[in-house]
Amino acid sequence: MARRSSQIVGLDIGTTKVCVLIVEPPDTGPVNVIGVGTCPSRGMRRGLVVNLDACVSSIKQAIEEAELMAGVSVDRAYVGNAGPQVRSLNSRGVVAVSGRDHEVSREDVHRVLEAARAVNIPADREIFHVVPQEFAVDGHSGIHDPVGMTGAKLESDVHIVTASVSAAQNLVNAVNRSGVEVEAVVLEQFAAADAVLTQDEKDMGVALIDVGGGTTSLVIYERGAIRHIAVLPTGGEHVTSDIAVGLRTPVPEAERIKKRYGCALAALVDHEDTIEVPSVGGRKSRVLSRQILCEIIQPRAEEIFALVAEELARSGFERALHAGAVLTGGGSMLEGITEIAEDALDVPVRRGAPGELGGLAETIGTPLYSTAVGLALYGVRQRRAVPQRVPHPFLLSRVGDMFKGWLNELF
């Protein structure tokens, strides 16, 4: 296959699926999607690699499918990183403005960001992102780019993201063993947010909730900047497990039933609706009320959003969500899930999916592909070399080097 030099690849390695997206950025207009590949994920558990060989096999299969569709060969990719090992905190740095004229320079910005990242973290973790939220010059806050302004004191509020170095390195190893070079590693919360959130939502205050297979990720934006990130240890595969146990059916059949007949709110289901449920051990299938299925799903859905509500309260930003919440990820496609979320969070909720894409846009215009689209869009911006307003000269060593550059797009 002839390789197109302009191709950009997003690789989302989740707990339940691996998704590969190949795009080509046109000179004008929307990004053109030329190839999509998906494969059930093996060797992953709650966002972590637990079986390297199985994970490599899944990645290869998804890449081959995308290559066949696009007619190109993949050798580099932007890879998503998530999982419970990702944590974050807010910090502040303060420095005196150097120079006789007290004009803020790029070097002053570098120094204040370095001061803000001087926090204690465990020895097995590393700072991967230092996300500027806003700057202040002589107490005047709300400044996005202070370079050129005059003052004696420069302050910066930042959001610091840390992750397990070993967990990230295992992910990189799996991708490399599949024959693909990791062009950059991007936190999946950032990628999904970039694919489905509007700038107005980020400015007003919004929570993006990505309901994945093994985990549910949360990222909060307020005044255009990231304020909080969290990963909760429950997701769509827990719903599937509940169905398998409750209906006494094999897990693959439980997944199929969930996708075809599932509803997170039993009140939305007609009492007369029925479903055919295969039994285990070769026993005859049974016909059950769909209401029973939904009564199994609803408690788990309520639990997921109860955990989200607790995390919002813990973050201190639950009253800042003036634009409400946006659901994405495969788990958000369940009927009735937005109603459950609205009841638990007490804010308006919408389902978010990628938009403004060309080519095979109809194929990937669902919440299932939000992270993969966000990863590809990040690569597009890198390729177009968008001028940066706030430089990212600090960070990183070892695996962290592959994270640099993402923050250039946040301001």
Side-chain angles (χ1 to χ4, degrees), residues 83-396:
Q85 81 278 6
V86 175
R87 299 171 191 165
S88 69
L89 69 155
N90 293 311
S91 180
R92 167 168 281 224
V94 182
V95 298
V97 177
S98 60
R100 295 180 180 178
D101 54 2
H102 292 290
E103 182 176 302
V104 178
S105 65
R106 290 289 179 192
E107 179 59 32
D108 293 320
V109 174
H110 298 173
R111 290 192 300 113
V112 77
L113 292 175
E114 284 286 358
R117 72 187 295 265
V119 296
N120 293 322
I121 59 172
D124 62 339
R125 304 183 67 78
E126 186 172 2
I127 295 176
F128 285 106
H129 286 319
V130 179
V131 186
Q133 294 172 329
E134 65 178 23
F135 296 89
V137 178
D138 286 351
H140 299 289
S141 60
I143 300 169
H144 286 284
D145 188 354
V147 174
M149 302 186 71
T150 301
K153 182 175 70 172
L154 177 64
E155 301 170 80
S156 176
D157 290 323
V158 302
H159 192 71
I160 297 175
V161 180
T162 71
S164 164
V165 177
S166 61
Q169 187 62 62
N170 287 333
L171 188 69
V172 171
N173 290 343
V175 177
N176 288 341
R177 290 194 184 189
S178 70
V180 175
E181 180 184 347
V182 177
E183 201 154 8
V185 179
V186 182
L187 287 179
E188 292 189 352
Q189 292 95 321
F190 294 169
D194 195 49
V196 303
L197 295 182
T198 67
Q199 189 58 49
D200 286 343
E201 287 174 325
K202 292 179 181 180
D203 291 339
M204 291 183 64
V206 66
L208 178 71
I209 304 165
D210 187 342
V211 186
T215 60
T216 296
S217 300
L218 170 70
V219 57
I220 299 173
Y221 283 82
E222 195 249 347
R223 286 178 290 166
I226 293 172
R227 304 292 170 174
H228 185 73
I229 292 172
V231 181
L232 307 175
T234 185
E237 68 173 7
H238 298 84
V239 176
T240 301
S241 178
D242 291 346
I243 295 171
V245 172
L247 298 185
R248 300 192 301 280
T249 190
V251 171
E253 292 295 339
E255 180 70 13
R256 180 188 64 82
I257 291 170
K258 180 185 73 174
K259 290 180 177 179
R260 185 168 181 180
Y261 303 106
C263 180
L265 188 59
L268 298 178
V269 176
D270 192 316
H271 287 272
E272 296 182 358
D273 288 352
T274 59
I275 57 174
E276 184 176 349
V277 180
S279 299
V280 295
R283 298 179 179 87
K284 291 180 59 177
S285 297
R286 294 153 292 140
V287 176
L288 301 176
S289 169
R290 189 183 174 208
Q291 189 82 22
I292 296 175
L293 169 65
C294 299
E295 288 173 354
I296 293 173
I297 295 174
Q298 184 168 338
R300 180 66 76 172
E302 290 173 341
E303 178 194 20
I304 290 173
F305 290 104
L307 292 173
V308 172
E310 290 176 7
E311 187 63 34
L312 288 174
R314 190 178 300 115
S315 73
F317 288 97
E318 74 273 23
R319 296 187 181 277
L321 306 181
H322 304 298
V326 178
L327 304 184
T328 195
S332 71
M333 299 174 69
L334 268 176
E335 181 185 355
I337 198 78
T338 55
E339 289 85 352
I340 292 288
E342 284 184 343
D343 184 61
L345 307 179
D346 196 27
V347 296
V349 176
R350 73 172 179 89
R351 186 180 284 110
E356 298 184 3
L357 298 169
L360 303 171
E362 291 185 3
T363 304
I364 62 168
T366 73
L368 196 66
Y369 295 98
S370 295
T371 299
V373 170
L375 294 170
L377 292 177
Y378 167 73
V380 169
R381 282 195 306 274
Q382 291 293 94
R383 186 70 58 86
R384 289 175 174 172
V386 177
Q388 58 189 34
R389 291 170 56 189
V390 174
H392 182 53
F394 44 95
L395 307 184
L396 301 154

